[in-house]
Amino acid sequence: MKKCVSVICILAVILTASGCSSSFQPSVTSIYIQDNGKITQAIVESFEKEYYSSQELQSMIEKEVDAYNSGYGEERITIQKADVEADTLYLLIDFQDADTYGQYNEVYCFSGTVEQALDEGLSFDMLFKDTQYEEYSAADVTEKKSDSVVVLKEEEIVQLQRPVKYVSNNVDIISERMVQVMPIEEEEEYAYIIY
């Protein structure tokens, strides 16, 4: 049943994203990686009005974001949208970069070039696949050092501004610009998305 709901959610994302090549109009919780390094996180959840009003929720989120930004003396996070429509919360938050996204959400997130990832000590020693599900080695996918890469450890749907080239085997390709990181259980395991 859980897998069926997951498939329905993925199909909803595909249908929402089709026809709008690089815009981000999510219908499920997901993140959008932009070419400039900015990350937009979408939180789409059922909203129970007994617990909070939409105004109380928005005020709480704004305070949390303001508190984070004040620690850096600059606006590293901004709220793009915080609405409740038909008992569903739609929250879009813009993060200045992958480090900010990772710190705020307390998750691992790297975004940069393949060369920068190698310099950071990230290992590409695994099998990769392209959109046709052909397999590639670490040497194949790291040959072009200027390619962009996102490295994650959390299960989530990721939309890219550009088409995906390769993903590690723990990532499912949904469409040309959208993938889903599968559950990661091993402590040393990471998910790689090269585009």
Side-chain angles (χ1 to χ4, degrees):
M1 180 68 176
K2 187 177 178 187
K3 192 170 188 174
C4 182
V5 170
S6 179
V7 169
I8 291 168
C9 288
I10 290 169
L11 288 173
V13 171
I14 293 168
L15 293 173
T16 303
S18 61
C20 47
S21 60
S22 64
S23 63
F24 186 52
Q25 299 173 340
S27 57
V28 296
T29 297
S30 50
I31 63 172
Y32 178 48
I33 312 287
Q34 298 175 51
D35 289 343
N36 62 8
K38 188 188 285 187
I39 294 178
T40 300
Q41 180 181 29
I43 298 170
V44 181
E45 293 181 358
S46 175
F47 182 75
E48 300 294 332
K49 289 182 179 159
E50 306 85 81
Y51 299 111
Y52 298 104
S53 72
S54 58
Q55 288 82 14
E56 286 174 324
L57 183 66
Q58 184 163 353
S59 176
M60 186 175 72
I61 294 163
E62 285 171 356
K63 285 179 184 172
E64 191 176 300
V65 167
D66 288 345
Y68 180 91
N69 286 332
S70 67
Y72 291 92
E74 63 175 331
E75 227 179 38
R76 297 180 70 157
I77 302 174
T78 56
I79 300 168
Q80 187 184 128
K81 178 180 180 178
D83 287 333
V84 176
E85 299 168 13
D87 295 331
T88 302
L89 168 69
Y90 294 92
L91 177 61
L92 291 179
I93 304 175
D94 289 328
F95 296 87
Q96 180 177 289
D97 52 33
D99 287 340
T100 304
Y101 170 79
Q103 287 171 1
Y104 184 79
N105 289 290
E106 298 179 352
V107 295
Y108 182 83
C109 181
F110 171 88
S111 180
T113 64
V114 167
E115 184 171 29
Q116 290 167 333
L118 290 167
D119 290 345
E120 288 278 321
L122 289 165
S123 172
F124 287 74
D125 190 21
M126 63 191 78
L127 284 177
F128 288 82
K129 60 192 172 198
D130 64 11
T131 55
Q132 304 303 310
Y133 284 79
E134 288 186 34
E135 290 193 339
Y136 294 85
S137 68
D140 296 327
V141 303
T142 58
E143 187 176 0
K144 193 170 179 190
K145 303 285 191 276
S146 62
D147 278 350
S148 298
V149 61
V150 175
V151 184
L152 302 162
K153 281 192 73 66
E154 299 297 311
E155 177 183 3
E156 57 192 321
I157 293 173
V158 180
Q159 184 176 333
L160 305 166
Q161 194 168 352
R162 284 183 280 130
V164 66
K165 291 184 177 181
Y166 312 102
V167 295
S168 51
N169 280 328
N170 51 6
V171 178
D172 277 345
I173 298 169
I174 299 171
S175 70
E176 182 184 64
R177 297 171 195 259
M178 192 174 299
V179 300
Q180 181 170 23
V181 176
M182 303 312 290
I184 294 175
E185 295 171 9
E186 299 294 324
E187 193 174 328
E188 301 301 314
E189 185 181 357
Y190 293 87
Y192 290 72
I193 304 159
I194 301 170
Y195 58 102

